[in-house]
Amino acid sequence: MAEAFSNKLARAVGVVTSSTGGSIGITTNLITGISTGGVTVADLVESGQYLAGTKVSSIGAGQVVVDRDSTNTAAISGQNVKFLTPHTLYTSTGLKTILIGGTFANNTNGQVGLTVEVTDNSASITVAVASKIPVPAGSSFVISDTGKTLLESGDSIKIYCDTANAIDANISILTGVN
């Protein structure tokens, strides 16, 4: 099959659920005392108590379990925690695909934090291409992958941002490569 170059565009990406009053213990993966409405498994956790890349692994009544322990040396309460829902920008079909690059434009009046991930479906591995990158108002973040990221069937590119409807994303891909 011949190679085909294409762009994938998503406008105003960013779903954020905020919850206040959360309690987080010492080196724990449990956030309690929060509203879980709008929170989903695989949401990125935005909190100073967890390392970048921490994700929701399960949800209960008034609590969330995440995939990493907190960095806390003391228990804290009254915390504001943001949960960032992923936007799947691209999922590879049966053809091998190479990510060429992308532009992520801030369409707000303030700074936006951006995370871009690639998921290898067959190996169940997710890698951050960019993590918590600050994109100032009126500017863009550009990735130039130059063909290092090969996507096979079912692999995907996801983006998260810490402000609702904040990012216009445009990626370039080459499909049908050997």
Side-chain angles (χ1 to χ4, degrees), residues 1 6 16 20 25 40 60 72 100 112 125-126 129 136 154 157 161 173 177:
M1 172 165 209
S6 64
V16 179
T20 57
T40 60
N72 292 350
I100 303 299
V112 174
I125 296 172
T126 298
V129 176
I157 299 170
C161 60
I173 55 174
V177 297

Side-chain angles (χ1 to χ4, degrees), residues 14 17 39 51 61 81 85 92 103-104 113 115 118 122 128 131-132 134 147 150 154 158 161 167 174:
T17 302
V39 178
L51 296 174
V81 181
T85 300
S92 183
T103 303
F104 304 89
T115 297
V118 175
S122 63
S131 185
K132 294 178 75 171
L150 177 66
K158 296 178 182 166
C161 60
I167 293 288
L174 185 62

